[in-house]
Amino acid sequence: MIQTIAVIGAGTMGSGIAHIFAQYGFSVHLVDVRPEALEKALLTIRKNADRQLTKGVITPDIQQAIQNNLHSFTSLQEGVRNAQLVVEAATENKQVKLDIFKQLDDCTSPGSILATNTSSISITAIAAATQRPEKVIGMHFMNPVPVMKLVEIINGYSTSKEVTETIVALSKQLEKTPCVVNDYPGFIANRILMPMINEAIYSLYEGIAGVTEIDTIMKQGMAHPMGPLQLADFIGLDVCLNILKILQEGFGNPKYAPCPLLTNMVAAGKLGVKTGEGFYRYTPGTKELVPAR
Ligand code: NAI
């Protein structure tokens, strides 16, 4: 039975994942190599829980439980020792993840499930870094975790049926919607989303329409809550570029080739919301969408 969950990486996703597990009564061990990341994550979780209370999403008891259930660690060994489940949400870098999974395999009890929140790295390759590939699975939450309902669950080549069932049941316990898919480049979410974003960027690059027109067409015409260019800014243009390269290489199909405009913008450091400029310009304190060009 899962009672203690270790979350590795206290960035954007790790803090959201820790929040949701703590909210649903699990004891959460949040681990990061950087103490300042842990400090920031705990502050973010407190602020988000306050907002949930104000909106009536949680009761004062749950708000208190979220704080009580969270424990932070800079040592991976200490953080994962008693965990029945580990969810890794560290930096999206294959070598970083392989090293973490090797350590997890040594430091957790052999029955523990090891999940990764990776958005693009092969689950099968990560599992191969351990002696228990049947217990390794993808548990891909969406950003922002406390709000988004989907959990894309990815079976690696060797993932056992029991492990998949446990993670499906756990996702339902969090009142999320689990969808189980197999491990091929981009899984399902990014395999469909990234070509759409790339096509939107091509449409801009070829001068067929402007930023506002492209996003308005997809928002008003297809009922998307955000246009593809705004969504690309939100995800990070560097992240989009990386995932497209993984699709192109993984399938050996030129249809996934990243648009040269995307490559140029990443080279120019225009990465979207996180750098203050991508397809739009972002000024703190205003929500107005201003195209950068
Ligand atoms: P982030 O950069 O905000 O946070 C990563 C954290 O991992 C950092 O605090 C870093 O100090 C920590 N870290 C690095 N190496 C570590 C190690 N060896 N041990 C412990 N902590 C370590 O990254 P973000 O955006 O939270 O992404 C995390 C994972 O989630 C990635 O695999 C990413 O692909 C995936 N993801 C991201 C989404 C997003 O919208 N940001 C959406 C869905 C998945």
Side-chain angles (χ1 to χ4, degrees):
M1 196 172 137
I2 296 176
Q3 287 169 323
T4 301
I5 299 174
V7 177
I8 314 299
T12 309
M13 294 304 286
S15 61
I17 295 167
H19 179 151
I20 195 84
F21 282 133
Q23 183 180 330
Y24 284 82
F26 295 94
S27 176
V28 179
H29 294 187
L30 183 57
V31 180
D32 203 291
V33 282
R34 293 184 304 123
E36 64 275 20
L38 286 166
E39 236 168 74
K40 189 174 167 212
L42 295 180
L43 198 70
T44 305
I45 296 171
R46 190 167 310 133
K47 274 194 204 151
N48 288 342
D50 287 351
R51 193 173 316 131
Q52 286 178 309
L53 182 70
T54 312
K55 286 188 171 171
V57 177
I58 57 171
T59 61
D61 284 356
I62 303 231
Q63 184 198 28
Q64 191 53 52
I66 293 175
Q67 303 310 321
N68 296 345
N69 288 337
L70 280 170
H71 311 277
S72 60
F73 296 81
T74 47
S75 152
L76 185 109
Q77 282 82 354
E78 281 174 32
V80 304
R81 196 178 290 142
N82 301 316
Q84 293 85 34
L85 168 68
V86 180
V87 180
E88 173 276 321
T91 313
E92 186 75 345
N93 173 299
K94 191 168 176 186
Q95 198 50 53
V96 168
K97 293 199 193 281
L98 295 181
D99 289 347
I100 290 175
F101 273 76
K102 256 186 226 133
Q103 285 185 63
L104 291 176
D105 200 25
D106 292 339
C107 304
T108 56
S109 78
S112 302
I113 296 175
L114 308 180
T116 172
N117 186 55
T118 180
S119 39
S120 62
I121 298 168
S122 157
I123 308 302
T124 305
I126 292 174
T130 74
Q131 301 297 318
R132 57 176 110 172
E134 72 288 353
K135 291 205 158 54
V136 177
I137 192 162
M139 192 174 189
H140 184 200
F141 290 87
M142 305 292 131
N143 185 19
V145 182
V147 177
M148 298 292 281
K149 286 285 172 208
L150 177 70
V151 183
E152 188 179 35
I153 295 173
I154 306 115
N155 282 330
Y157 190 83
S158 308
T159 309
S160 76
K161 199 163 161 267
E162 293 69 32
V163 165
T164 309
E165 282 167 1
T166 304
I167 298 302
V168 166
L170 176 68
S171 304
K172 288 183 182 162
Q173 219 180 318
L174 303 174
E175 297 184 78
K176 301 280 187 206
T177 307
C179 282
V180 179
V181 309
N182 290 320
D183 180 30
Y184 287 96
F187 318 134
I188 287 294
N190 282 319
R191 179 170 178 170
I192 295 174
L193 175 64
M194 288 304 159
M196 183 190 71
I197 286 177
N198 202 31
E199 206 57 37
I201 302 172
Y202 262 113
S203 306
L204 179 70
Y205 173 67
E206 291 169 5
I208 298 166
V211 170
T212 306
E213 289 71 24
I214 292 168
D215 274 0
T216 304
I217 286 168
M218 296 308 285
K219 278 193 285 189
Q220 312 265 324
M222 316 299 157
H224 290 194
M226 236 188 234
L229 299 175
Q230 188 189 357
L231 182 56
D233 275 358
F234 179 70
I235 294 169
L237 301 193
D238 51 339
V239 175
C240 294
L241 180 62
N242 266 339
I243 299 176
L244 281 163
K245 283 181 180 165
I246 284 172
L247 289 170
Q248 185 188 14
E249 198 187 299
F251 291 112
N253 189 334
K255 80 173 175 180
Y256 298 109
C259 176
L261 175 60
L262 175 63
T263 308
N264 259 0
M265 289 176 74
V266 172
K270 310 290 183 196
L271 306 183
V273 177
K274 62 185 164 192
T275 58
E277 187 181 323
F279 295 104
Y280 296 92
R281 194 164 291 129
Y282 300 91
T283 318
T286 148
K287 286 197 167 163
E288 203 196 339
L289 270 181
V290 184
R293 303 191 165 197

